[in-house]
Amino acid sequence: MIVTCLIPLTLFLVAAVITTGTDRRTLDGIPAPLAAIIGMGCLIWFLAVCPWPIELCLVMVVMVLGKAYLQDILRLG
C-alpha cells in the first residue's frame, strides 16, 4: 500500500520540478505544460489511493497554511 502511494507522489514531485525549472520563452518550454498536466493527474491519483488519515492531514496542512498566507493578504486595517 505504501508503494501505491509513493509512486504517484514521486511522479508528482518530479513533474513539479520539471514545470518550475523549464524556461517558457524558448522551445525548451514545451515540457512545462505537459509536466503540469501529468503532475495534476498524479496528484489526483495520489489522493485517490492514499489512506484517509493522510488525506485528512493534507487537508489540515492546506487549511493552516492557507489561513497563515491569507491572513496577511486580507488584513484590511
Side-chain angles (χ1 to χ4, degrees):
M1 185 158 100
I2 296 293
V3 174
T4 59
C5 290
L6 288 179
I7 291 171
L9 183 63
T10 304
L11 290 175
F12 166 72
L13 293 175
V14 168
V17 168
I18 290 171
T19 301
T20 57
T22 304
D23 186 17
R24 290 171 182 80
R25 291 174 289 176
T26 63
L27 288 177
D28 294 334
I30 292 173
L34 294 175
I37 292 168
I38 292 170
M40 289 306 296
C42 290
L43 183 62
I44 292 169
W45 178 23
F46 170 70
L47 291 175
V49 297
C50 73
W52 69 267
I54 295 174
E55 290 178 8
L56 183 64
C57 290
L58 290 173
V59 168
M60 295 301 289
V61 165
V62 168
M63 289 176 65
V64 167
L65 291 177
K67 182 176 168 96
Y69 179 70
L70 290 175
Q71 195 88 23
D72 296 332
I73 294 173
L74 297 176
R75 190 168 300 172
L76 300 174

